[in-house]
Amino acid sequence: MFSAVPTSRQQLSSRGAAVQVNAKAGSVEYKDLMAIAEEACRRGEQVIREAADKPREITHKGAADLVTDTDQKSEKVVLGFVQEKFPDHGVLGEEGGIMGNAGSDYLWICDPIDGTTNFTHSYPPFAVSVGVLENGTPVAGAVVEFAGSQGNWHTRMYTAYKGGGCFLDGRKVSVSSEDSVQQSLLITGFDQVEHGEPWAKNMDLFKHFTDKSRGVRRSGAAAVDMAHVACGIADAYWEMRIKAWDVAAGTLLVTEAGGTITAMDGSEHSVFSRSHLASNGKLHKSMQPIMQEAIKELVDNGNDFGPWFIPDGLPFKVPGQK
Ligand code: LIP
């Protein structure tokens, strides 16, 4: 079950909790990876809390593609903590790309602020997301969601580990049991920068499902959207063209809470997929064929829907990778 990874025999989380290392195999339990992911998120949370009520230093990557000094500080603290605990693992951040041992079986993927535009405007939700892959498969993750308002921020912590379930503030949670789109609350997201054909197709889907369901929300933070499906307050979420750091932790939250995640065309999902449909499982049957048709049309018109943003030197192949 656990592949051998060279680690020190016992590592301490900052809260003093002993992180047990499987002495025989020299590998780490998924539950302990989750504890480190949670602590890494807490450290990112602290950076954000310190900045949240102060003016932002914003850099424009594009007209509507923002990054703040807090994104950079949060990533440094989060991945610095992970690298201190697991110097032999690989790490991938939204701001810094791949670092550490890219050849390791383990890759930690961090979004230091998921929902940067929301954060810039002090408009919740926004989050820190940390997911851990073992040979490409998500095995542990944590997402800390900010809610509230200036001067009164509060957070919710979602965690999961493979085979162990999904937790909200330590309490086990599961997806909803809704099987009718008509009675469902759905979520989507869309690119703020690229407004080409995939974006237009997503707007068609937004209209379609707004008409057929109780509503479609757009929060602006994919990790939180997936966490909301996982804990059953939303029934399904889809989005095209988001990156591995947006979905690495959320993917496991959903599956460990009993949900289903595929690419929108129904093909096998990976965190490097270019489209994502996460549902309580029951809704997949009615939603997925409509998504599949939309993606087919896009592909027929020459749009690539294969995996993307695969960092150089990744030691495993992702589904659909040529
Ligand atoms: C955000 C995603 C969101 C998407 C936004 C943005 P970021 O990620 O989580 O779902 O709709 O356009 O990409 O860039 O704030 O980490």
Side-chain angles (χ1 to χ4, degrees):
M1 183 176 176
F2 307 111
S3 53
V5 177
T7 57
S8 53
R9 289 180 66 82
Q10 189 185 60
Q11 318 212 16
L12 289 180
S13 83
S14 68
R15 293 173 172 193
V19 172
Q20 295 303 323
V21 173
N22 178 328
K24 255 193 192 153
S27 65
V28 188
E29 304 276 350
Y30 297 149
K31 194 175 181 182
D32 297 330
L33 293 175
M34 180 183 81
I36 297 295
E38 176 175 353
E39 184 56 35
C41 276
R42 287 285 181 217
R43 290 180 177 223
E45 173 188 337
Q46 205 42 49
V47 172
I48 295 173
R49 278 188 184 278
E50 277 158 25
D53 295 330
K54 297 186 186 139
R56 315 280 189 262
E57 262 178 50
I58 304 166
T59 309
H60 288 256
K61 294 198 262 188
D65 192 6
L66 313 180
V67 63
T68 69
D69 55 328
T70 311
D71 293 69
Q72 282 147 356
K73 275 186 205 147
S74 172
E75 180 163 311
K76 210 164 160 212
V77 166
V78 169
L79 291 183
F81 175 69
V82 169
Q83 286 189 297
E84 194 186 299
K85 296 292 167 197
F86 298 107
D88 300 315
H89 291 189
V91 297
L92 172 64
E94 174 170 15
E95 307 307 327
I98 201 152
M99 290 168 282
N101 177 9
S104 164
D105 288 345
Y106 291 87
L107 182 65
W108 292 71
I109 305 184
C110 157
D111 192 339
I113 304 182
D114 183 40
T116 298
T117 304
N118 287 358
F119 170 71
T120 302
H121 290 261
S122 296
Y123 183 91
F126 41 88
V128 183
S129 166
V130 176
V132 192
L133 309 187
E134 183 186 54
N135 298 313
T137 302
V139 293
V143 172
V144 64
E145 171 191 2
F146 275 75
S149 56
Q150 282 207 324
N152 184 29
W153 295 109
H154 45 100
T155 55
R156 298 195 274 204
M157 176 65 80
Y158 304 86
T159 49
Y161 67 97
K162 193 175 172 197
C166 176
F167 307 86
L168 164 50
D169 290 335
R171 188 175 47 87
K172 208 161 190 174
V173 289
S174 55
V175 292
S176 74
S177 56
E178 187 53 63
D179 61 3
S180 139
V181 170
Q182 214 181 357
Q183 318 276 348
S184 294
L185 184 66
L186 309 175
I187 318 174
T188 189
F190 30 83
D191 209 308
Q192 203 51 48
V193 181
E194 295 288 333
H195 292 171
E197 214 184 339
W199 183 85
K201 185 54 77 186
N202 205 63
M203 290 303 169
D204 292 344
L205 291 169
F206 196 174
K207 279 197 240 168
H208 174 88
F209 283 106
T210 296
D211 188 45
K212 301 286 177 215
S213 69
R214 284 188 175 165
V216 182
R217 302 291 179 254
R218 189 276 202 266
S219 86
V224 175
D225 297 339
M226 295 172 96
H228 287 179
V229 172
C231 73
I233 60 172
D235 304 298
Y237 156 79
W238 80 88
E239 186 160 354
M240 301 173 186
R241 298 170 58 83
I242 46 170
K243 320 279 169 32
W245 39 85
D246 297 309
V247 301
T251 294
L252 190 71
L253 297 181
V254 170
T255 54
E256 282 302 324
T260 300
I261 183 158
T262 61
M264 284 168 65
D265 63 1
S267 63
E268 192 184 344
H269 180 263
S270 91
V271 302
F272 297 99
S273 295
R274 205 176 300 220
S275 71
H276 311 266
L277 172 61
S279 83
N280 62 5
K282 300 208 157 125
L283 289 172
H284 241 75
K285 203 165 44 163
S286 33
M287 292 183 72
Q288 196 275 315
I290 294 160
M291 305 285 173
Q292 182 159 1
E293 207 180 299
I295 300 291
K296 185 180 177 312
E297 236 177 86
L298 289 169
V299 170
D300 288 348
N301 288 345
N303 295 283
D304 186 359
F305 266 88
W308 72 335
F309 280 87
I310 300 172
D312 284 343
L314 202 65
F316 51 83
K317 282 245 179 213
V318 305
Q321 190 179 353
K322 290 181 186 130

